[in-house]
Amino acid sequence: MTDSHESPTSHERSESLWVASGRLIGLMPQRSRQSIRLAMFLGFVLAGVEFLAILMLYPVFGFLAQVNSQSFELPFIGIQIDRGWARLMAIAALGLLILRSVLTLIYRRWWLGVTASAELDLSDRLLRTYAFAPYELHLRTLSTDLMSRAVANVNLACQYGLVGIVGIVSSSLLVVGLALALIAANLLAGIVITFYLGTLGAIYYIATRGVTRRLTDDLQTQIRDVYDQVATFLRGIREVTVFGQRESYLAKITESRRAMVKTNARVSILQDIPRAVLEVTLYSTVLVAITILLSMKNVDSILPVVALYVVAGLRIMPTLSQLLSYSASARSGTQIAQALSDEIDEIESITIRRELLVPISTTRATLTFEGVRFRYDSGGPDVLRDISFGVDFGKFVGVVGPSGSGKTTLASLVLGLLGCTEGRVRYGDEDVAVNDPFWFEKVALVPQDVFLMAESLLENILAGALRDDEKVGRVIAMSGLIEVVAELPNGLGTMMMEGGSRLSAGQRQRVGLARALYRDPEILVLDEPTSALDERSEAHI
């Protein structure tokens, strides 16, 4: 598992863009993968349409340059094109360019929906993975860290990665096609310009590869820090206010956000640099082409080639710029996806083993600890050592000890949230497995700090179970909630504020007890459930 102090994007290995792209697409459900493949194909088609349109303009330029000629011979293939065909090709080329513009707009709108759907699917999958992950992951990883990965990192992976991957496909085809058109028009000049631009692109790609990886790691770390600081500030707003630290916390958050924004800007600049460099070199490239062509003797044949070089050159520059920009974007997105994929694979491998568990058939049995030892880390100290005891069904056992002595850890072992380092926990003749959904049906927990959802009081008691009004009334009486319900404006229908702030700590503990009792558990774990109650309420409980 990823430790909360480690960057989830730090990898000893760096996969190729091709392999990393496959992993990103592989994280998506089948429908999203099909849409991404379709997007690549459609991008390929749109690039082909533009390439064909530009190529069809070449004989048109030939006739415009040779006014008195009745035909124009295409290079290499030697086919003669008359003026009628040139007119039709001009109309067709311009029609194709107009069609491509309209289709690109439609394609763009559809593609935005695809990426949004893919982002939602991946975020849902990651949140589900965290929800069913081993309890140890949540013990040693900040919730805000998981939140930043499931929201911000997924957004970066999809917006950078998917957009970059699909853009590379369409841009590559157009760049290659335009380069071939230049070579077809004039072999020497085309080869020189293609080599020149290819070398420039390769230098940029190699020079920025390491920078992109470092900036992407920094960006994810800074996003996590911002999430952590904002959550800490809002969770502790009461203490922060009382101690007069609001301005101090806000200043820290602003500083972290400033660092995040600067890094994000640097990532974006890496995508913009190719455009600036290539636009600067555009005129020099065209100048090189014109110089080579003007050195030839047949001036009449030069003019259509020059025209094609100007048109194709003006298009190949931004396209090559887009290709390099998409490459930088794809590297950033797939790097993030690589970390997410590793984490999902690790957690889901444990989830698959859990799904093979056999339901516990024992009921109303004795809970037994047999030589249990537990430590959180393989090299860490024992939290529990040589614990052996049994609790018969229907009996209560109190566990006392100083803070840090392992009481909560012991409770987590009973609940099946943690597994023993040595020894075993048994219910009757069967072992209690870790994260066993069948075992969770038999146990219930009343923690010291009860968690309440932003739902009605009734929904907080039911916690997803079917409603039974008679049973609800019974657990309310047992947990001492009758007076509390009577004082609420809408009774059981009263909405609880975030974290249950509408209720006192003692009232929240009673709601937690009612929630646990409503499950009719065979084993009830109480973690200081009356610490916030007065003596009268504690005696009643």
Side-chain angles (χ1 to χ4, degrees), residues 194-243:
T194 300
F195 177 77
Y196 171 60
L197 294 178
T199 302
L200 189 64
I203 291 174
Y204 170 81
Y205 182 86
I206 295 172
T208 60
R209 186 167 49 189
V211 177
T212 301
R213 186 182 302 116
R214 178 178 58 80
L215 288 178
T216 303
D217 280 344
D218 292 344
L219 180 59
Q220 291 176 89
T221 300
Q222 290 158 1
I223 290 174
R224 183 190 64 194
D225 291 342
V226 169
Y227 270 75
D228 290 346
Q229 292 180 13
V230 172
T232 300
F233 173 67
L234 295 178
R235 261 199 317 261
I237 189 64
R238 181 178 61 177
E239 289 82 353
V240 170
T241 301
V242 171
F243 288 103

Side-chain angles (χ1 to χ4, degrees), residues 126-188:
L126 192 58
L127 284 172
R128 184 173 182 82
T129 300
Y130 290 151
F132 288 90
Y135 184 56
E136 294 96 320
L137 172 71
H138 299 277
L139 286 178
R140 63 170 178 258
T141 309
L142 295 174
S143 59
T144 50
D145 192 3
L146 301 180
M147 189 189 311
S148 68
R149 296 182 214 172
V151 179
N153 288 12
V154 167
N155 175 263
L156 292 174
C158 292
Q159 295 302 318
Y160 283 172
L162 291 182
V163 172
I165 292 168
V166 173
I168 286 174
V169 174
S170 58
S171 298
S172 297
L173 172 65
L174 191 54
V175 167
V176 172
L178 292 173
L180 291 176
L182 297 179
I183 293 174
N186 187 277
L187 182 62
L188 177 59

Side-chain angles (χ1 to χ4, degrees), residues 291-304:
T291 301
I292 294 175
L293 293 172
L294 289 176
S295 65
M296 301 177 180
K297 295 180 180 180
N298 190 352
V299 179
D300 289 339
S301 65
I302 292 174
L303 293 179

Side-chain angles (χ1 to χ4, degrees), residues 336-348:
I336 297 170
Q338 181 182 345
L340 297 178
S341 178
D342 287 342
E343 188 169 38
I344 289 175
D345 288 344
E346 182 181 357
I347 296 175
E348 287 187 347

Side-chain angles (χ1 to χ4, degrees), residues 18 21-45 107 110-111 114 118 162 165-166 169-170:
W18 179 261
S21 298
R23 293 189 69 181
L24 172 57
I25 297 174
L27 290 173
M28 308 298 171
Q30 182 62 29
R31 68 175 184 276
S32 293
R33 291 200 294 270
Q34 291 175 345
S35 296
I36 293 168
R37 294 189 184 101
L38 177 59
M40 291 181 182
F41 173 74
L42 293 177
F44 191 86
V45 171
Y107 168 80
W110 170 78
W111 174 237
V114 171
L162 291 182
I165 292 168
V166 173
V169 174
S170 58

